[in-house]
Amino acid sequence: MHQHRTFDSAVALQGWFSAWGPASIANLGPGFDTLGLCVTGYADKVAVRLKEEPGIVITDIENAAVPLSRNAEENTASVAAKVVLDAVKFTGGLEMIITKGIPAGSGMGSSAASAVAGAWAANKALGLPLSKHELVRAVLEGESIASGSYHGDNVLPALFGNLVLVSAKEPARYREISIRKGPFMALVQPEVQILTKEARAILPKQVPLWDAVQNASELAFMLDAFQHGDWDMVGRCIMKDKLVEPVRATLLPCYHEIKEAALAEKALGCAISGSGPAMFALATDEIHAYRVLAAMTQPNRAGIRVTGKVVQVNTTGAE
Ligand code: HSE
């Protein structure tokens, strides 16, 4: 991010500016903290208005299924927006209204979507002084407030759209992978909350070498399959995670039932989205995706309500 850019406050101290941060599916099976896909269907919206006094004030959070902090130091949208204000040396502050379209703790990149929308709305209010590439640090900072770590596999796809490959160790190192014609997917949300922080805390600190090797190999095949539009292979690969999903499945009582229902309906593959509880399945076409969705959302033995949508790859990202 270019620290030397400044902002002429006289130009834009007026009106509200809003931005959407879309949902994303992180991990995609073997790509833990490394791969994320931006999707249609769900998004958070952030509206901001610049003010002369410094500081960010969150005046409202609409449509939040669970209480979210209005403290500007604790919300991903305001933390990301603050980095943007500081980057352009804006001496004033802003008012912010967040509208949640993605439930927190759903596994669809809710905190990331808010961070992206917050950063992009602030950037818009300032007259777009920064490019999306220059917002990467801001969105990573925002996301880290919610998840307790700097993983970029939700924020970067939500920012850029498409599929994004990101370094797990240095999340500011990434590659956008453009998908021309993405698959239809059923994306479902079991009505239980799994916080990313908790879903990360239960993961083992060490794993068997052979499992790590298998994950690396499946991830490589999956990337190749994405680039060639080989959705059969993508579907097979998303089910090959040996390291993370088997552990996290224990947090979701209806996991096996939802997966079996999707596969019985001939989904190409099914896996947990991000840290869960959301799950997604790949379909061959739109009609098939609706059949898979119906199977995944039917009543389960655990009595957990499951809702969902048919989604596709979002190629735009924040807008
Ligand atoms: N890669 C992150 C995780 C994504 O699985 O913890 C969180 O949605």
Side-chain angles (χ1 to χ4, degrees):
M1 203 173 275
H2 295 290
Q3 299 291 332
H4 62 274
R5 293 195 187 174
T6 55
F7 167 72
D8 176 1
S9 62
V11 177
L13 266 180
Q14 51 191 352
W16 287 90
F17 292 83
S18 59
W20 293 94
S24 49
I25 297 175
N27 302 339
L28 297 158
F32 179 66
D33 278 3
T34 299
L35 207 56
L37 187 66
C38 187
V39 294
T40 58
Y42 299 89
D44 283 1
K45 183 176 152 191
V46 172
V48 302
R49 179 164 67 178
L50 297 178
K51 57 187 182 71
E52 279 180 69
E53 313 75 52
I56 296 184
V57 179
I58 301 175
T59 49
D60 201 4
I61 303 181
E62 298 169 344
N63 203 31
V66 291
L68 294 173
S69 176
R70 279 209 211 171
N71 179 337
E73 284 171 19
E74 291 172 359
N75 192 293
T76 64
S78 43
V79 169
K82 172 81 168 58
V83 178
V84 175
L85 299 187
D86 291 347
V88 297
K89 299 194 177 359
F90 179 57
T91 52
L94 53 81
E95 268 179 78
M96 176 177 276
I97 297 173
I98 301 166
T99 307
K100 294 299 291 180
I102 311 171
S106 62
M108 302 193 300
S110 168
S111 53
S114 283
V116 163
W120 193 243
N123 193 38
K124 258 175 100 174
L126 295 163
L128 294 176
L130 303 176
S131 68
K132 283 192 175 178
H133 294 280
E134 291 169 320
L135 291 178
V136 165
R137 190 171 64 82
V139 297
L140 286 170
E141 286 288 340
E143 167 77 314
S144 71
I145 292 293
S147 64
S149 64
Y150 286 86
H151 62 89
D153 54 345
N154 282 117
V155 269
L156 299 187
L159 181 62
F160 295 114
N162 278 309
L163 181 70
V164 177
L165 178 62
V166 53
S167 159
K169 193 135 188 236
E170 305 161 49
R173 188 157 66 90
Y174 59 90
R175 288 281 176 279
E176 297 170 54
I177 299 170
S178 178
I179 298 168
R180 279 181 292 280
K181 197 171 175 300
F184 285 92
M185 292 164 280
L187 178 58
V188 303
Q189 260 177 280
E191 276 189 12
V192 286
Q193 195 189 36
I194 297 179
L195 293 177
T196 299
K197 266 183 199 165
E198 288 160 17
R200 293 178 82 80
I202 62 162
L203 298 178
K205 299 283 171 279
Q206 294 187 327
V207 294
L209 173 67
W210 188 236
D211 287 350
V213 169
Q214 279 191 58
N215 262 47
S217 134
E218 296 299 338
L219 178 57
F221 273 100
M222 183 162 65
L223 266 184
D224 178 72
F226 260 113
Q227 286 174 311
H228 290 95
D230 181 351
W231 309 125
D232 275 314
M233 178 61 86
V234 172
R236 255 179 283 163
C237 291
I238 63 170
M239 297 199 292
K240 296 282 175 59
D241 172 30
K242 301 279 286 179
L243 304 177
V244 175
E245 185 149 329
V247 182
R248 286 181 169 170
T250 60
L251 297 174
L252 184 57
C254 51
Y255 167 85
H256 293 287
E257 222 176 319
I258 292 177
K259 190 167 172 177
E260 279 159 21
L263 297 179
E265 202 53 69
K266 300 202 170 6
L268 303 177
C270 177
I272 293 179
S273 169
S275 55
M279 295 178 70
F280 72 105
L282 261 70
T284 49
D285 59 34
E286 189 172 9
I287 293 172
H288 182 214
Y290 277 103
R291 283 210 316 271
V292 172
L293 177 68
M296 293 170 85
T297 51
Q298 72 199 359
N300 54 64
R301 284 188 292 278
I304 295 172
R305 187 162 175 263
V306 184
T307 54
K309 285 186 184 175
V310 168
V311 301
Q312 280 190 282
V313 178
N314 174 331
T315 54
T316 326
E319 59 181 344

